[in-house]
Amino acid sequence: MKILIINAGSSSLKYQFMESDGGEVFARGLCERIGIDGRLTHKVPGREDVKQDIPMPTHGEAIQAVLDIMVDPEKGVIRSTDEIAAVGHRVLHGGMAFTESCIIDEKCIEAIRKCIPLGPLHNPANLMGIEACQKIMPTTPQVAVFDTAFHMTMPPRAYIYAIPYEYYEKDDVRRYGFHGTSHRYVSARAIDMLGNPEHSRVICCHLGNGSSLSAVVDGKCVDTTMGLGPLAGFPMGTRSGDVDATILEYLMGRYGYDIKEMLNILNKKSGVLGISGVSSDFRDLDEAAANGNERAQLALDKFAYEVRKFIGAYASAMGGVDAIVFTAGVGENSTDMREHICQGLEYMGVKMDAEKNRVRGREVDVSAPDSRVRIFIIPTNEELMIAMDTAALCR
Ligand code: AMP
């Protein structure tokens, strides 16, 4: 089935038009500066990219611009929007209401709306994307695919926070986890590559600008590093990961920050950017560290150290590990970071083949022949997962 995938942010909207069987991508692109002025970038494999300034006061005009260019006789890829069999929407937070993807109807929209307090930055934008598509394509089925859904199989001991239980009961405070569509895709591929679907213990390392790990037993998530929101876990590009809450009180007292300013520091100015003072991009950090910048080196060391600690923790949580998967921007591309993380894990049977590890963005096993744990690089494909879920629900 030909599926249009929409990932709507507050002032931007990414789209991809693809075949759910096999994953061929016909077109992809980005609407930017929605609500300001509006710019469309449209890419078709084998053709030159198209860039257009188009007024986009709301997400409605952005979706209309996407449909217009898709059916354009020269720049487009279809004759009529009837060729779009269904639309799959990426939605950040499904709260406790969504354990899997679902067809969008009034009830679903209401449930997504109820999750806004849990995902205040993303869910309203996701809803704007959904509502714009419903208005412009009222007869085309729409599906919501949630970043949190894959993690809903975690047992209570993994998702409960050690704060008064009433906050869980009354206010839904618990670990949810994110990047679920990526963790679901790469863990399923890893299980295929292991060839033992009956019993498998996989640790997925989604290492990008935002990063998270998941522990997956027999295809089901049993733990993940992100929490109620995506700030938790280990240091990321600009996010701090887990911090002692005392630091908030201390710095807010010392500098007079309010909670918004404090969270802005933890979300936007921390992580490897905060430690290094150089960049949130691992390529810049590699270069700076190679030129002798000690704080850039410290940021890289801290990142690798924290990921390695969580790998150890998740191996213990699962009673062992059969495969470690590296995915997303850093995980797929950084030979050095993968090697750095695996250094010191030999005690648990993790042995990397340094030669095989000199690879970028390909699905490949980089473990040494005598490694008890397989080490896979698996390029993530969240769009394909969204397309497959959408097609399955709309058939
Ligand atoms: P993502 O959020 O998955 O798109 O990942 C983006 C991040 O991947 C960038 O910020 C870079 O830090 C990182 N990245 C991409 N290519 C490389 C590379 N060749 N070496 C190291 N890091 C990379």
Side-chain angles (χ1 to χ4, degrees), residues 68-308:
D68 287 346
I69 198 141
M70 294 257 287
V71 299
D72 184 278
E74 271 173 42
K75 300 165 196 134
V77 289
I78 46 178
R79 269 199 224 114
S80 134
T81 52
D82 293 346
E83 290 179 46
I84 301 171
V87 184
H89 294 268
R90 181 176 182 176
V91 180
L92 181 85
H93 217 305
M96 292 213 266
F98 296 101
T99 55
E100 52 191 25
S101 305
C102 73
I103 294 263
I104 295 175
D105 55 16
E106 271 314 305
K107 231 173 92 200
C108 168
I109 290 190
E110 204 35 52
I112 296 173
R113 208 182 304 281
K114 278 207 176 121
C115 296
I116 287 178
L118 294 169
L121 295 180
H122 295 84
N123 276 36
N126 300 153
L127 276 171
M128 284 194 269
I130 290 170
E131 282 163 356
C133 284
Q134 282 187 321
K135 212 162 156 201
I136 297 170
M137 295 182 274
T139 55
T140 311
Q142 321 257 337
V143 166
V145 179
F146 300 90
D147 251 29
T148 48
F150 179 63
H151 303 301
M152 292 309 285
T153 49
M154 279 188 286
R157 62 172 186 244
Y159 69 65
I160 202 76
Y161 284 114
I163 60 174
Y165 195 73
E166 68 206 58
Y167 296 123
Y168 167 65
E169 285 186 308
K170 287 205 308 221
D171 306 301
D172 298 343
V173 174
R174 51 161 284 172
R175 183 185 302 284
Y176 289 97
F178 298 88
H179 299 136
T181 314
S182 172
H183 287 290
R184 180 155 63 105
Y185 176 79
V186 299
S187 60
R189 288 295 310 132
I191 292 166
D192 263 5
M193 289 160 84
L194 281 169
N196 63 340
E198 297 78 31
H199 185 63
S200 58
R201 296 160 302 185
V202 178
I203 297 174
C204 302
C205 308
H206 178 109
L207 311 178
N209 199 22
S211 296
S212 64
L213 257 62
S214 67
V216 181
V217 175
D218 301 343
K220 290 199 164 56
C221 177
V222 296
D223 210 342
T224 190
T225 52
M226 284 181 167
L228 178 94
L231 183 54
F234 51 94
M236 311 177 204
T238 63
R239 294 189 198 125
S240 62
D242 298 339
V243 290
D244 177 353
T246 316
I247 296 172
L248 277 69
E249 187 199 22
Y250 180 68
L251 290 181
M252 287 165 81
R254 249 174 124 77
Y255 294 104
Y257 300 142
D258 62 22
I259 189 66
K260 271 216 157 94
E261 289 168 314
M262 192 66 242
L263 284 176
N264 190 48
I265 291 169
L266 295 177
N267 271 306
K268 303 259 171 72
K269 299 182 178 173
S270 299
V272 292
L273 168 69
I275 296 175
S276 68
V278 170
S279 172
S280 61
D281 192 306
F282 283 71
R283 288 162 291 200
D284 299 338
L285 294 177
D286 284 340
E287 197 185 321
N291 289 328
N293 185 314
E294 286 178 15
R295 273 172 55 191
Q297 188 59 55
L298 177 63
L300 293 167
D301 289 347
K302 175 73 175 168
F303 184 83
Y305 174 70
E306 294 293 333
V307 173
R308 195 183 312 129

Side-chain angles (χ1 to χ4, degrees), residues 328-342:
V330 181
E332 292 167 27
N333 294 304
S334 177
T335 294
D336 288 350
M337 185 48 76
R338 287 190 300 261
E339 196 175 301
H340 202 151
I341 289 167
C342 289

